[in-house]
């Protein structure tokens, strides 16, 4: 890195290319069109999920969600490769982010890739923000601070006014999240004109992000491990189902408004996770995303290092419908487990960072129990989760 603003490329000691960096960024030709907000947004964003019938069997809902293609285990795919072939693997596939050691140091690099086309279809700006925020959250729950990101923007025809508007909004949303979370964008690519019979794919921003752990051994994993640990929610529950996997799998709907994202709240949550992990307060940490809170707890039951383990939790519905609290995908939330004697320290850190938290229950047993509505053997959860992609 130099201070003169010139990009130089050397080959065998000689300058092969030399150009002001501003020529490649600020002075490039621009192709600017006028975007038009798509007409479908008014209809989908006005959808009221409260008119839907509540489930008769919440146990069946949990199993269907864990067995869905967007949530189920990817082990069938990554087990085709030897992820242990390299000695610098610290945290391999299956976690929120992978961690590799930096040779010759105690540092670790965390890596994740995230994206949700459904959110961006329902609100491109919010969808762009969430893609960045979730990637950063996945780094935070293993203990890493973002270093930089790259993006892949997958959309339809930008020459159509509606397609151009979606592209603009996705980029603006991602940029807002990058500024708020202080994440530089070091590269990216686009894949446009993705259409079939004149119908565009969902606008789908994909984010790849890399973060740094000062000590690679001070990382956290997503799975519960210790009987008697407390299950704690960092962040606050919402009341909504728009754009959720629950709406798609159970009601066959891709509609509503995606969950609201408060970027300041998101940043405070990330700082709390990193501090708590660095101080050895947490036993596990797992972000709440596709499928909502109950699915996140179920995944934590299944992702322990040595075995699957149950949990019993109770949720404050606060006058909301159970399905919106159980399966809504409100942002800026993380499920953690903590030893009882570490709860006070976690509470002090949460207060310092300005993050609300709630003790939901306890790790242990062979069931996932939620209020009086859900009671599923962990063995059944595991079967649904692991067989999700068995059709491939």
């Amino acid at each position: 890195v130099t201070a003169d603003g010139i990009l130089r490329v050397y080959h065998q000691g000689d300058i092969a290319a030399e150009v002001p960096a501003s020529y490649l960024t600020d002075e490039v030709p621009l192709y600017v069109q006028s975007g038009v907000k798509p007409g479908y947004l008014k209809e989908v964003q006005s959808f009221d999920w409260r008119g839907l019938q509540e489930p008769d069997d919440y146990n069946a809902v949990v199993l269907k969600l864990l067995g869905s293609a967007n949530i189920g285990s990817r082990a069938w795919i990554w087990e085709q490769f030897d992820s242990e072939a390299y000695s610098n693997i610290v945290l391999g596939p299956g976690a929120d982010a992978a961690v590799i050691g930096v040779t010759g140091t105690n540092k670790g690099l965390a890596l994740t890739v995230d994206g949700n086309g459904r959110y961006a279809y329902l609100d491109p700006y919010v969808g762009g923000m969430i893609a960045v925020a979730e990637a950063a959250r996945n780094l935070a729950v293993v203990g890493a601070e973002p270093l930089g990101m790259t993006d892949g923007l997958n959309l339809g025809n930008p020459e159509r006014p509606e397609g151009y508007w979606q592209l603009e909004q996705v980029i603006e949303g991602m940029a807002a999240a990058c500024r708020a979370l202080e994440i530089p964008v070091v590269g990216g690519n686009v894949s446009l004109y993705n259409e079939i019979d004149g119908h565009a794919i969902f606008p789908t921003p994909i984010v790849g992000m890399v973060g740094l752990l000062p000590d690679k051994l001070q990382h956290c994993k997503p799975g519960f491990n210790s009987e008697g640990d407390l299950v704690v929610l960092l962040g606050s529950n919402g009341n909504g189902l728009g754009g959720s996997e629950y709406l798609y799998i159970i009601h066959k709907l891709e509609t509503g408004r995606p969950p609201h994202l408060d970027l300041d709240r998101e940043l405070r949550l990330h700082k709390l996770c990193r501090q708590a992990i660095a101080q050895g307060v947490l036993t596990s940490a797992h972000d709440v995303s596709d499928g909502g809170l109950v699915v996140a707890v179920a995944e934590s039951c299944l992702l322990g290092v040595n075995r699957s383990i149950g949990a019993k939790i109770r949720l404050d519905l606060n006058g909301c419908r159970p399905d919106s609290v159980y399966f809504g995908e409100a942002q800026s939330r993380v499920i953690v487990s903590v030893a009882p004697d570490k709860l006070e320290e976690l509470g002090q850190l949460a207060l310092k960072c300005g993050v609300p938290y709630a003790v939901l229950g306890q790790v242990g047993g062979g069931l996932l129990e939620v209020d009086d509505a859900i009671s599923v053997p962990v063995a059944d959860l595991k079967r649904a989760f692991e067989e999700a992609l068995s059709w491939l």
Side-chain angles (χ1 to χ4, degrees):
V1 177
T2 61
D4 59 7
I6 305 297
L7 172 65
R8 295 183 180 87
V9 180
Y10 290 84
H11 177 65
Q12 297 181 349
D14 297 324
I15 293 179
E18 187 174 36
V19 61
S22 62
Y23 284 7
L24 306 176
T25 55
D26 302 332
E27 299 179 41
V28 296
L30 296 178
Y31 180 56
V32 181
Q33 288 191 185
S34 296
V36 175
K37 186 176 181 179
Y40 74 84
L41 283 174
K42 182 177 181 181
E43 179 181 354
V44 296
Q45 291 182 353
S46 63
F47 176 78
D48 187 357
W49 56 269
R50 295 172 183 82
L52 297 173
Q53 182 177 348
E54 292 186 50
D56 296 324
D57 185 349
Y58 277 101
N59 291 342
V61 172
V62 174
L63 292 172
K64 285 183 179 179
L65 288 174
L66 282 176
S68 71
N70 283 331
I71 293 176
S73 172
R74 268 64 176 154
W76 186 92
I77 298 172
W78 51 257
E79 284 178 350
Q80 309 298 316
F81 307 90
D82 186 0
S83 62
E84 303 299 324
Y86 303 96
S87 59
N88 61 346
I89 298 293
V90 177
L91 183 57
D96 295 286
V99 177
I100 59 174
V102 180
T103 303
T105 76
N106 291 325
K107 298 177 181 180
L109 290 176
L111 307 97
T112 187
V113 178
D114 291 283
N116 187 318
R118 190 181 300 136
Y119 288 166
Y121 166 71
L122 298 173
D123 189 322
Y125 184 88
V126 173
M129 284 201 303
I130 290 177
V132 174
E134 184 179 354
R137 195 184 316 138
N138 281 333
L139 297 183
V141 296
V142 300
E145 183 169 3
L147 292 174
M149 60 163 269
T150 184
D151 61 71
L153 305 180
N154 309 280
L155 295 96
N157 184 353
E159 296 178 46
R160 302 179 191 274
E162 293 82 3
Y164 188 82
W165 184 87
Q166 289 177 325
L167 178 60
E168 281 186 309
Q169 291 295 303
V170 163
I171 293 171
E172 290 293 341
M174 296 176 75
C178 288
R179 286 190 291 266
L181 303 179
E182 301 179 347
I183 302 170
V185 181
V186 299
N189 69 84
V190 297
S191 175
L192 305 176
Y193 301 93
N194 295 290
E195 298 190 352
I196 299 176
D197 296 329
H199 297 285
I201 65 168
F202 282 0
T204 306
I206 303 296
V207 170
M209 195 174 292
V210 177
L212 176 68
L213 288 91
D215 183 347
K216 63 189 177 185
L217 299 181
Q218 283 296 111
H219 65 269
C220 211
K221 299 178 181 179
F224 299 149
N225 286 296
S226 302
E227 297 259 356
D229 275 358
L230 301 176
V231 179
V232 180
L233 170 66
L234 305 181
S236 302
N237 290 325
N239 181 29
L241 290 169
S244 65
E245 187 73 2
Y246 167 79
L247 273 190
Y248 177 61
I249 294 298
I250 303 303
H251 296 283
K252 312 302 180 187
L253 295 171
E254 293 181 291
T255 189
R257 285 187 176 272
H260 171 72
L261 175 63
D262 182 319
L263 290 168
D264 180 63
R265 182 183 304 168
E266 186 75 33
L267 182 60
R268 295 198 305 269
L269 175 67
H270 298 181
K271 291 180 177 179
L272 169 59
C273 289
R274 288 193 292 267
Q275 290 180 19
I277 292 169
Q279 295 180 27
V281 175
L282 305 182
T283 306
S284 70
H286 182 39
D287 83 308
V288 180
S289 56
D290 294 353
L293 179 62
V294 169
V295 166
V297 174
E299 289 172 334
S300 293
C301 289
L302 301 176
L303 297 175
V305 176
N306 299 314
R307 62 191 178 112
S308 300
I309 190 171
K312 184 174 183 178
I313 66 172
R314 299 197 72 84
L315 301 176
D316 183 2
L317 300 181
N318 198 27
C320 301
R321 274 178 45 158
D323 53 351
S324 72
V325 177
Y326 294 168
F327 310 117
E329 297 175 4
Q331 297 297 294
S332 309
R333 294 184 296 168
V334 169
I335 286 291
V336 303
S337 60
V338 58
D341 62 354
K342 294 285 188 179
L343 180 62
E344 182 177 355
E345 186 175 357
L346 176 61
Q348 291 174 350
L349 287 173
L351 181 64
K352 180 181 177 182
C353 293
V355 176
Y357 74 99
V359 178
L360 303 184
Q362 198 166 36
V363 175
L367 300 171
L368 170 63
E369 299 180 80
V370 182
D371 301 330
D372 296 321
I374 296 171
S375 181
V376 185
V378 173
D380 292 349
L381 299 175
K382 183 176 181 180
R383 187 178 307 109
F385 187 64
E386 293 182 348
E387 293 178 358
L389 300 183
S390 61
W391 52 272
L392 286 175

